[in-house]
Amino acid sequence: MAKVVRNVRRTDDVIVRGLGEIGVATVHEAQGRKGLLGSHLRPIFRPAKIAGNALTCEVAPGDNWMIHVALEEARQGDILVVTPTSPCDDGYFGDLLATSAAARGIRGLVIDAGVRDIATLTEMGFPVWSKSVSAQGTVKETLADVQVPIVCAGCLVRPGDVIVADDDGVCVVPAENAAEVLEKARRRERIEEEKRQRYAAGELSLDVNAMRPKLLEEGLVYVG
Amino acid sequence: MAKVVRNVRRTDDVIVRGLGEIGVATVHEAQGRKGLLGSHLRPIFRPAKIAGNALTCEVAPGDNWMIHVALEEARQGDILVVTPTSPCDDGYFGDLLATSAAARGIRGLVIDAGVRDIATLTEMGFPVWSKSVSAQGTVKETLADVQVPIVCAGCLVRPGDVIVADDDGVCVVPAENAAEVLEKARRRERIEEEKRQRYAAGELSLDVNAMRPKLLEEGLVYVG
Amino acid sequence: MAKVVRNVRRTDDVIVRGLGEIGVATVHEAQGRKGLLGSHLRPIFRPAKIAGNALTCEVAPGDNWMIHVALEEARQGDILVVTPTSPCDDGYFGDLLATSAAARGIRGLVIDAGVRDIATLTEMGFPVWSKSVSAQGTVKETLADVQVPIVCAGCLVRPGDVIVADDDGVCVVPAENAAEVLEKARRRERIEEEKRQRYAAGELSLDVNAMRPKLLEEGLVYVG
Amino acid sequence: MAKVVRNVRRTDDVIVRGLGEIGVATVHEAQGRKGLLGSHLRPIFRPAKIAGNALTCEVAPGDNWMIHVALEEARQGDILVVTPTSPCDDGYFGDLLATSAAARGIRGLVIDAGVRDIATLTEMGFPVWSKSVSAQGTVKETLADVQVPIVCAGCLVRPGDVIVADDDGVCVVPAENAAEVLEKARRRERIEEEKRQRYAAGELSLDVNAMRPKLLEEGLVYVG
Amino acid sequence: MAKVVRNVRRTDDVIVRGLGEIGVATVHEAQGRKGLLGSHLRPIFRPAKIAGNALTCEVAPGDNWMIHVALEEARQGDILVVTPTSPCDDGYFGDLLATSAAARGIRGLVIDAGVRDIATLTEMGFPVWSKSVSAQGTVKETLADVQVPIVCAGCLVRPGDVIVADDDGVCVVPAENAAEVLEKARRRERIEEEKRQRYAAGELSLDVNAMRPKLLEEGLVYVG
Amino acid sequence: MAKVVRNVRRTDDVIVRGLGEIGVATVHEAQGRKGLLGSHLRPIFRPAKIAGNALTCEVAPGDNWMIHVALEEARQGDILVVTPTSPCDDGYFGDLLATSAAARGIRGLVIDAGVRDIATLTEMGFPVWSKSVSAQGTVKETLADVQVPIVCAGCLVRPGDVIVADDDGVCVVPAENAAEVLEKARRRERIEEEKRQRYAAGELSLDVNAMRPKLLEEGLVYVG
């Protein structure tokens, strides 16, 4: 009894793009170091940096049928997030599906499984974060759910949550927190920019962050 | 009692090159989704796309002696396929062997073990698909077989079979099937090209492939 | 009772740079095939090729406090070598620390754990060899030792030992052997250059290295 | 801003025990093949078979402070479910914590990280499903949440959900479905028992499950 | 176009049992250190020691349909050897199939994938060597071949070849070599028994095997 | 130019046995959470608990020649510690070598590679901690060092250091610290015993260890 949930509310694209510009590491810090998908998800080309609304899709092992179903649900600015119901490295997604996904406004793919045709995907500039690359194709036999909350690479992703992805990996921001996280992330960026300039000028982080007293208190000793 | 089998029959290079142009994913589908080597074999640089006749070579763990022996057996258009007799990540092959291999007409290397000097191999444009990169060299102490059927990365490869390798991985096509697989793969390519154009125009694969009735029959439900 | 050892003696930079030009594979062979760090350490961009004095740093899992401490100990030409006290994939090091490290004269980072901000590190041209890429940040709570002998990626590294790193991986040369290893490595390079020319001209390594008698003696048989 | 949620509602122990008697494989099937934690979680001794209410606990990498906090929240019949905020293999839990957990009525531990003192835990008969065994201890420095929804080994677990664990692995049943899943699982068991007797008597599953027509339809051929 | 090959010739059970008594390590040595399946295949209980004729079976990822088909082909003394067409850890085989397999005379299972119900399989004494244990069940949708040559865990296995499996792993002996390998293995056992007695009496293998001259020749030095 | 270092000083067996009785987890804590070998080393049978003087031995990949050499160096109470010069899973050690090792007074084996004949080793009660089990045998071609400092499973081990191994893993105690570590470990055991009794009586570790103030200070909040 698989289902497709329609009319999922998306997060405002101004916020989404704002998060995308900032990137994964800072967004992840800004939301309290939560929401990071497993670091085994790697981009097929670099640099790559996108953000979008999660369009979630479960698939059976070795079976990409539901990706075909999910594409119909796409809206401009979505990122397709795919998770297999048991671990699988097969190539679920290739240049044909990428052509269709791009035509439907999808900005990229996050998949805890494999992809193929990566030379073409790279030429197309269609960004993908995947667990593996494999030419092993899939069948179309088994149903699963589309646009329901899923766990992808160890992280809960709900339809309409914001996905931020870059060379460092993939992070999810719950839709209801997106505006606040963006604000915090921007503040964080400003602080980091200040530090960067001081570090570039040769100042030490021990001084910039006033770490020396606590190091002493914890018992650090200098010898030699 | 190791042996080298000489005078192995090669597959016609017109067919070989035809398969190489098409690439791994489509060739693999065209031969009934068989013959794919394990996806842990990755190219040392991208893009890379070759096809050739398998020149097979077994090696002992940490010992590349038989690669030296295999090079003498090379013919123009061969791809060297190397498998260790027990799992090993050492760097069996570097720029010296690549220089010799290229001089003997070998188009590239597929090895279920490690390689080294990859900066130089990249500059040379000598393509390699390997399990690992490792500067760990090898000894020359133990014999093994050359130009016999081997299992490489989970797949049976016989001397003279066609190896197709690109950014997606490595596939083997049995010599006796090569012509037929090429024909099927070309047909497949034509069908895919048609689909690509329809997808690019915004049509859905659900419609292009007439999937809706079977989805309904299997019980897919749309909600929300 | 963690400690920082100061005033560690460095190896002469003429020797260090000499080893760096030669590269990992040849240096590793020249010192008797010892001192190679685990091949799971991979560069975040390629090509990359550096050598420097080891500035060693232990860190707790998920805690990069001691890297901040280590940066104060840096001298021009050092390479920061970081090892966690138990296995960890977190992103210990990003663009802020890289900015500081570069300003303090550090040539690169070798870490048996994760890094982040790799797009920026790549733009900066700050080379890193790491076990993983992860946006997962770290805390600053737990002390560990700086500039003491450590085991990094399966290899003993002492402060002031020479680190050589390139696309093939990372190698450590004990300070006391560095001059001798450089000499042997250069001799090796000359021999390899001669062989390379003979191989390029089509000569076989079986002949160049006079391997045929031993192959025969071990019992290799040619058939077919 | 870490938090502990108190007064979490538990699932009725009659249902919990019912699910525990049936075991993971059948419960997992009965709830539509969902809710299985990653198969890298293995029992430290066999046989082991328990069920209980999830007492959820997040921990920082290399830091078991929150397990101490979680023990206070235990009720008779709970199973402690621990997940690190980034991957870690350290030994978070040993015989002292097991003594305390057992005294507080906890039936066992599920942890996507390491445990230690497993000889003693085995003697005590305190069952544990873990990712690793490691004597590496942990610090007590960093807060995290207790009794909030967590993702453990790729699966969403909410406080008060039912955990079923045996030699095959670990499964979570959402509290609101527990009664219905138990009923379905019992029905499934009865059907399986009938099949088992027919199989033991030599009947083939092809006949018991009437598979022959579909095999024929799909095109299976018998040769030789 | 999947097929089942019938009437496969089996190897004489006297030879099969002889190989089984000797065990994997010695049989593997006796046939020239070939034929060992990957060491990731581990027994679900120990000790376990069997030998039998290979009944080979391919399966799709997450799909055990063909195991049902294979059971009809079983003869007394077979060992079922299962390989997925792409890597998969799902639990393909549980107590129901084991009941049927045992009733049809199958001695055990070798599978480069997962199994479940291992508590029951252990009670039944039905031996299994698998890559993983997983409660994740499978579907019955996709055909594959039965009783054809397959690659299982990196090794070619043909129907009717002899499978030897014990606590050390799994080895295949080609049917045509089985008698000769048995003879060599027995000879080897006798030699090993003699050595065992000399070692137990305190003699050194350096002397028993006359290794000292070659060690000296290779340049081994004693210091201290 | 491989060498064997003779007349290595051993640590007093009274201290060694004392450390062995206490076990790995407590010894590891007592020496400041250092010296733990990688948790991928697992015992071939459980329970197992030994301590002894390290008899160190390097081996080439797939080559156990130096183990034969090392056995001559054994003294009553040694533990053989073997590390390959590059990663290898082969079965370096089986029942013949175990028979010899036991006859020479060796208490067990720690090896960052594979072993075989584990059914016999289990019957003999000869304890082994290894990375893998594999029937794959080895050759005797390449020299390496015996009784020199080695890195085994990520940890420096010097001849005559104390090895402590049990179900939790393997720990090394530098010879010069052994007496002091034993004293600290015993003190630790007494403290742990007190805690164990209080925990068994239902007291919480939050109270026994007075953790509540620091939790409050760090900002832990109780809700619900």
Side-chain angles (χ1 to χ4, degrees):
Chain A
M1 282 218 336
K3 68 170 173 293
V4 180
V5 180
R6 297 204 133 159
N7 301 315
V8 167
R9 195 169 172 173
R10 264 65 172 186
T11 301
D12 181 350
D13 202 42
V14 175
I15 294 170
V16 169
R17 286 180 182 278
L19 290 165
E21 280 156 27
I22 288 170
V24 173
T26 301
V27 167
H28 176 246
E29 292 285 351
Q31 73 173 335
R33 305 209 290 139
K34 292 189 180 290
L36 195 67
L37 278 69
S39 63
H40 61 277
L41 296 191
R42 297 299 303 142
I44 58 165
F45 59 79
R46 284 179 49 202
K49 191 173 185 177
I50 60 169
N53 276 280
L55 165 55
T56 67
C57 180
E58 278 189 335
V59 289
D63 188 317
N64 77 350
W65 208 15
M66 299 316 289
I67 296 180
H68 295 262
V69 172
L71 290 185
E72 187 174 22
E73 308 309 313
R75 292 203 201 149
Q76 188 68 36
D78 281 355
I79 292 177
L80 184 59
V81 182
V82 179
T83 198
T85 53
S86 72
C88 187
D89 285 342
D90 289 355
Y92 280 84
F93 187 97
D95 69 339
L96 282 183
L97 284 173
T99 300
S100 180
R104 308 291 291 190
I106 290 177
R107 289 186 183 148
L109 169 69
V110 172
I111 181 166
D112 196 10
V115 290
R116 57 181 184 170
D117 299 326
I118 64 165
T120 308
L121 299 186
T122 301
E123 279 168 34
M124 291 170 66
F126 188 87
V128 174
W129 285 256
S130 73
K131 181 186 171 195
S132 55
V133 172
S134 170
Q136 176 79 33
T138 49
V139 296
K140 288 159 193 62
E141 301 276 9
T142 306
L143 297 185
D145 294 338
V146 170
Q147 288 288 60
V148 302
I150 60 174
V151 173
C152 181
C155 216
L156 184 68
V157 179
R158 299 164 316 161
D161 283 347
V162 182
I163 298 294
V164 185
D166 64 18
D167 292 12
D168 287 346
V170 183
C171 186
V172 60
V173 180
E176 61 273 25
N177 305 343
E180 187 193 337
V181 169
L182 174 57
E183 197 184 347
K184 283 187 185 164
R186 283 189 175 145
R187 208 174 315 144
R188 205 178 172 90
E189 270 205 323
R190 282 191 294 272
I191 294 167
E192 290 195 348
E193 185 47 38
E194 272 176 46
K195 287 190 184 174
R196 188 175 294 109
Q197 289 176 19
R198 293 178 68 181
Y199 292 168
E203 279 191 79
L204 284 167
S205 63
L206 294 185
D207 299 315
V208 170
N209 301 294
M211 290 174 175
R212 293 190 195 274
K214 199 180 160 204
L215 286 167
L216 219 71
E217 185 193 318
E218 295 281 333
L220 187 64
V221 179
Y222 287 82
V223 299
Chain B
M1 283 213 336
K3 67 171 174 291
V4 180
V5 179
R6 299 204 131 160
N7 301 316
V8 166
R9 194 170 173 171
R10 264 65 172 186
T11 302
D12 180 353
D13 202 42
V14 175
I15 294 170
V16 169
R17 287 179 180 278
L19 289 165
E21 280 157 27
I22 288 170
V24 173
T26 301
V27 166
H28 176 245
E29 292 285 352
Q31 73 174 332
R33 305 211 288 138
K34 292 188 181 290
L36 195 65
L37 277 68
S39 63
H40 61 275
L41 297 191
R42 297 299 301 140
I44 59 165
F45 59 80
R46 285 180 47 203
K49 192 172 185 178
I50 59 170
N53 276 280
L55 165 54
T56 67
C57 179
E58 278 190 334
V59 288
D63 189 316
N64 76 350
W65 208 13
M66 298 316 288
I67 295 179
H68 295 263
V69 172
L71 290 185
E72 187 174 25
E73 309 308 313
R75 292 201 201 152
Q76 189 68 38
D78 282 354
I79 292 178
L80 185 59
V81 182
V82 178
T83 199
T85 52
S86 71
C88 188
D89 285 342
D90 289 355
Y92 280 83
F93 186 97
D95 68 339
L96 283 182
L97 284 173
T99 301
S100 180
R104 307 293 291 191
I106 290 177
R107 290 185 183 151
L109 169 69
V110 171
I111 181 166
D112 196 9
V115 290
R116 57 182 185 171
D117 301 325
I118 64 167
T120 309
L121 299 186
T122 302
E123 280 168 34
M124 290 171 65
F126 188 88
V128 174
W129 286 257
S130 73
K131 180 185 170 196
S132 55
V133 172
S134 170
Q136 176 78 36
T138 49
V139 296
K140 289 160 191 65
E141 302 275 9
T142 307
L143 297 185
D145 293 338
V146 169
Q147 288 288 59
V148 302
I150 61 175
V151 173
C152 182
C155 216
L156 184 68
V157 179
R158 300 164 314 162
D161 283 347
V162 183
I163 298 293
V164 185
D166 64 19
D167 293 10
D168 287 344
V170 184
C171 186
V172 59
V173 180
E176 62 273 26
N177 305 342
E180 186 193 340
V181 170
L182 175 56
E183 197 184 347
K184 284 187 184 166
R186 283 188 173 146
R187 209 175 313 143
R188 205 177 172 91
E189 269 204 323
R190 281 191 295 271
I191 295 166
E192 291 195 348
E193 185 46 37
E194 273 176 47
K195 288 190 183 176
R196 188 175 294 109
Q197 290 176 18
R198 294 177 67 181
Y199 292 169
E203 278 190 80
L204 284 167
S205 63
L206 294 185
D207 298 315
V208 170
N209 302 294
M211 290 173 175
R212 294 189 196 275
K214 198 179 161 205
L215 285 168
L216 218 72
E217 183 193 319
E218 295 281 332
L220 186 65
V221 178
Y222 287 82
V223 299
Chain C
M1 285 215 335
K3 67 172 175 290
V4 180
V5 179
R6 299 203 130 161
N7 301 315
V8 166
R9 195 170 172 172
R10 265 64 173 186
T11 302
D12 181 352
D13 201 44
V14 175
I15 294 169
V16 169
R17 287 179 181 279
L19 290 165
E21 280 156 27
I22 289 169
V24 173
T26 301
V27 167
H28 176 246
E29 293 285 352
Q31 71 173 335
R33 303 210 290 139
K34 292 189 181 289
L36 195 66
L37 278 68
S39 63
H40 60 277
L41 297 190
R42 296 299 302 142
I44 58 166
F45 59 79
R46 286 178 47 200
K49 191 172 185 179
I50 60 170
N53 276 279
L55 165 54
T56 67
C57 179
E58 277 190 334
V59 289
D63 188 317
N64 76 350
W65 208 14
M66 300 315 288
I67 296 180
H68 295 262
V69 172
L71 291 185
E72 186 173 25
E73 308 309 312
R75 292 201 201 151
Q76 189 67 39
D78 281 354
I79 292 177
L80 185 58
V81 182
V82 178
T83 199
T85 53
S86 71
C88 188
D89 285 342
D90 290 354
Y92 279 84
F93 187 98
D95 68 339
L96 283 184
L97 285 172
T99 301
S100 180
R104 307 293 292 189
I106 290 177
R107 290 184 182 150
L109 169 69
V110 171
I111 181 166
D112 195 9
V115 290
R116 56 181 185 170
D117 300 325
I118 63 166
T120 309
L121 299 186
T122 301
E123 280 168 33
M124 291 171 64
F126 188 88
V128 174
W129 286 256
S130 73
K131 180 186 170 195
S132 55
V133 172
S134 169
Q136 175 79 34
T138 49
V139 296
K140 287 159 192 64
E141 302 274 10
T142 306
L143 298 185
D145 294 338
V146 170
Q147 288 288 60
V148 302
I150 60 175
V151 173
C152 183
C155 215
L156 184 69
V157 178
R158 299 164 315 161
D161 282 349
V162 183
I163 298 294
V164 185
D166 64 19
D167 292 12
D168 286 346
V170 183
C171 185
V172 59
V173 180
E176 62 272 26
N177 305 343
E180 187 193 339
V181 170
L182 175 58
E183 197 183 348
K184 283 187 184 164
R186 282 188 173 145
R187 207 174 315 144
R188 206 175 171 91
E189 269 204 324
R190 282 190 295 271
I191 295 165
E192 291 195 349
E193 185 47 39
E194 274 176 46
K195 287 189 183 174
R196 186 174 297 109
Q197 290 175 18
R198 294 177 67 182
Y199 292 169
E203 279 190 79
L204 284 166
S205 64
L206 294 184
D207 298 315
V208 170
N209 302 293
M211 289 174 175
R212 294 188 195 275
K214 198 178 161 206
L215 286 168
L216 219 73
E217 185 193 319
E218 294 282 331
L220 186 65
V221 178
Y222 287 83
V223 299
Chain D
M1 283 218 334
K3 67 172 177 289
V4 180
V5 180
R6 298 205 133 160
N7 300 317
V8 167
R9 195 170 171 171
R10 265 63 173 188
T11 302
D12 181 352
D13 202 43
V14 174
I15 295 170
V16 170
R17 287 180 182 279
L19 290 164
E21 279 157 26
I22 289 170
V24 172
T26 301
V27 166
H28 176 245
E29 292 286 353
Q31 73 173 334
R33 304 210 290 140
K34 291 190 180 289
L36 196 66
L37 279 67
S39 64
H40 60 277
L41 296 192
R42 296 298 303 141
I44 58 166
F45 59 79
R46 283 178 50 202
K49 191 173 187 178
I50 60 170
N53 276 279
L55 166 54
T56 68
C57 179
E58 278 190 335
V59 289
D63 189 315
N64 76 350
W65 208 14
M66 299 316 289
I67 295 179
H68 295 262
V69 172
L71 291 185
E72 187 174 24
E73 308 309 312
R75 292 202 202 149
Q76 188 68 38
D78 282 354
I79 292 177
L80 185 59
V81 181
V82 178
T83 198
T85 53
S86 72
C88 188
D89 285 343
D90 290 354
Y92 280 84
F93 187 97
D95 67 339
L96 282 184
L97 284 173
T99 301
S100 180
R104 307 292 292 190
I106 290 177
R107 289 186 182 148
L109 169 70
V110 171
I111 181 165
D112 195 10
V115 290
R116 56 182 184 170
D117 300 325
I118 62 167
T120 308
L121 298 186
T122 301
E123 279 168 34
M124 289 171 65
F126 187 88
V128 174
W129 286 257
S130 73
K131 180 185 172 197
S132 55
V133 172
S134 170
Q136 175 78 34
T138 50
V139 296
K140 286 158 193 66
E141 301 276 10
T142 306
L143 296 186
D145 294 337
V146 169
Q147 289 288 59
V148 302
I150 60 175
V151 173
C152 182
C155 215
L156 183 68
V157 179
R158 299 165 314 162
D161 283 348
V162 182
I163 298 294
V164 185
D166 63 19
D167 292 12
D168 286 346
V170 183
C171 187
V172 58
V173 180
E176 63 273 24
N177 305 343
E180 187 193 339
V181 170
L182 175 57
E183 197 184 348
K184 283 187 185 165
R186 282 188 175 146
R187 207 174 315 142
R188 207 177 171 91
E189 269 204 325
R190 282 191 294 271
I191 295 166
E192 291 195 347
E193 185 47 38
E194 273 174 47
K195 287 189 184 176
R196 188 174 294 109
Q197 289 176 18
R198 294 177 66 181
Y199 292 169
E203 280 190 78
L204 283 167
S205 64
L206 293 185
D207 299 315
V208 170
N209 301 293
M211 290 175 176
R212 295 188 195 274
K214 198 180 160 205
L215 286 168
L216 218 72
E217 183 194 319
E218 295 281 332
L220 186 65
V221 179
Y222 287 83
V223 299
Chain E
M1 285 219 333
K3 67 171 176 290
V4 180
V5 180
R6 299 205 130 159
N7 302 315
V8 167
R9 193 169 174 173
R10 265 64 173 187
T11 302
D12 180 352
D13 202 43
V14 174
I15 293 169
V16 170
R17 287 179 181 278
L19 290 165
E21 280 156 27
I22 287 169
V24 173
T26 300
V27 166
H28 176 246
E29 292 285 352
Q31 74 174 332
R33 304 209 291 140
K34 292 188 180 292
L36 195 65
L37 278 68
S39 63
H40 60 276
L41 297 191
R42 297 299 301 142
I44 58 165
F45 59 79
R46 286 178 47 202
K49 192 173 186 178
I50 59 170
N53 276 280
L55 165 54
T56 68
C57 178
E58 277 189 333
V59 288
D63 189 316
N64 76 350
W65 208 14
M66 299 316 288
I67 296 179
H68 295 263
V69 172
L71 291 184
E72 186 173 26
E73 309 308 312
R75 294 202 201 149
Q76 188 68 38
D78 282 354
I79 292 178
L80 184 59
V81 182
V82 178
T83 198
T85 53
S86 71
C88 188
D89 285 342
D90 290 354
Y92 280 84
F93 187 98
D95 68 339
L96 283 183
L97 284 173
T99 300
S100 179
R104 308 293 290 191
I106 290 177
R107 289 183 184 153
L109 169 69
V110 171
I111 181 166
D112 195 9
V115 290
R116 57 182 184 170
D117 301 324
I118 62 167
T120 309
L121 299 186
T122 302
E123 279 168 34
M124 290 171 65
F126 188 88
V128 174
W129 286 256
S130 73
K131 181 186 170 195
S132 55
V133 172
S134 170
Q136 176 77 36
T138 49
V139 296
K140 288 160 192 64
E141 302 276 10
T142 306
L143 297 185
D145 293 338
V146 170
Q147 288 288 60
V148 303
I150 61 174
V151 173
C152 182
C155 215
L156 184 69
V157 178
R158 300 165 313 163
D161 283 348
V162 183
I163 298 293
V164 185
D166 64 19
D167 291 11
D168 287 345
V170 183
C171 187
V172 58
V173 180
E176 62 272 26
N177 305 343
E180 187 193 339
V181 170
L182 175 58
E183 195 184 349
K184 282 187 184 165
R186 282 187 173 146
R187 209 175 314 143
R188 205 174 173 91
E189 269 206 323
R190 282 191 293 273
I191 294 165
E192 290 195 349
E193 185 47 37
E194 271 176 48
K195 287 189 182 175
R196 187 174 294 108
Q197 289 175 18
R198 293 178 67 181
Y199 291 168
E203 280 191 80
L204 284 166
S205 63
L206 295 184
D207 299 314
V208 170
N209 302 293
M211 290 173 175
R212 294 188 195 276
K214 199 180 160 205
L215 286 168
L216 218 71
E217 185 194 318
E218 295 282 331
L220 187 64
V221 179
Y222 288 83
V223 299
Chain F
M1 285 215 332
K3 68 170 175 290
V4 180
V5 180
R6 299 205 132 160
N7 301 316
V8 167
R9 194 169 172 172
R10 264 65 172 187
T11 302
D12 181 353
D13 202 43
V14 174
I15 295 170
V16 169
R17 287 179 180 277
L19 289 164
E21 280 157 27
I22 289 171
V24 173
T26 301
V27 166
H28 176 246
E29 292 286 352
Q31 72 173 335
R33 305 210 290 139
K34 291 189 181 290
L36 196 66
L37 278 68
S39 63
H40 60 276
L41 297 191
R42 298 298 302 142
I44 57 165
F45 59 79
R46 284 178 49 202
K49 192 173 186 177
I50 60 170
N53 277 279
L55 165 54
T56 68
C57 179
E58 278 190 333
V59 289
D63 188 316
N64 76 350
W65 208 14
M66 299 315 289
I67 295 180
H68 295 263
V69 171
L71 290 185
E72 186 174 25
E73 308 309 312
R75 293 203 202 149
Q76 188 69 35
D78 282 354
I79 292 178
L80 185 58
V81 181
V82 177
T83 199
T85 53
S86 71
C88 188
D89 285 342
D90 290 354
Y92 280 84
F93 187 97
D95 69 338
L96 283 183
L97 284 173
T99 301
S100 180
R104 307 294 290 190
I106 290 177
R107 290 185 183 150
L109 169 69
V110 171
I111 181 165
D112 196 9
V115 290
R116 56 181 183 171
D117 300 326
I118 63 166
T120 309
L121 298 186
T122 301
E123 279 168 35
M124 289 172 65
F126 188 88
V128 174
W129 286 257
S130 73
K131 180 185 172 197
S132 55
V133 172
S134 170
Q136 176 79 35
T138 50
V139 298
K140 287 158 193 65
E141 301 276 10
T142 307
L143 296 185
D145 294 338
V146 170
Q147 287 289 58
V148 302
I150 61 174
V151 173
C152 181
C155 215
L156 184 68
V157 178
R158 299 165 314 163
D161 283 347
V162 182
I163 298 294
V164 185
D166 64 19
D167 292 11
D168 286 345
V170 183
C171 187
V172 59
V173 181
E176 61 273 25
N177 305 343
E180 188 194 337
V181 170
L182 175 57
E183 197 184 347
K184 283 187 184 165
R186 282 188 175 147
R187 207 174 316 143
R188 208 179 169 89
E189 269 205 324
R190 282 190 295 271
I191 295 166
E192 291 195 347
E193 185 48 37
E194 272 176 47
K195 288 189 182 175
R196 188 174 295 107
Q197 290 176 17
R198 293 179 66 182
Y199 292 169
E203 280 191 79
L204 284 166
S205 64
L206 294 185
D207 298 314
V208 170
N209 301 294
M211 289 174 176
R212 295 190 194 273
K214 199 178 161 206
L215 286 168
L216 218 71
E217 185 194 318
E218 295 280 332
L220 186 65
V221 179
Y222 286 83
V223 299

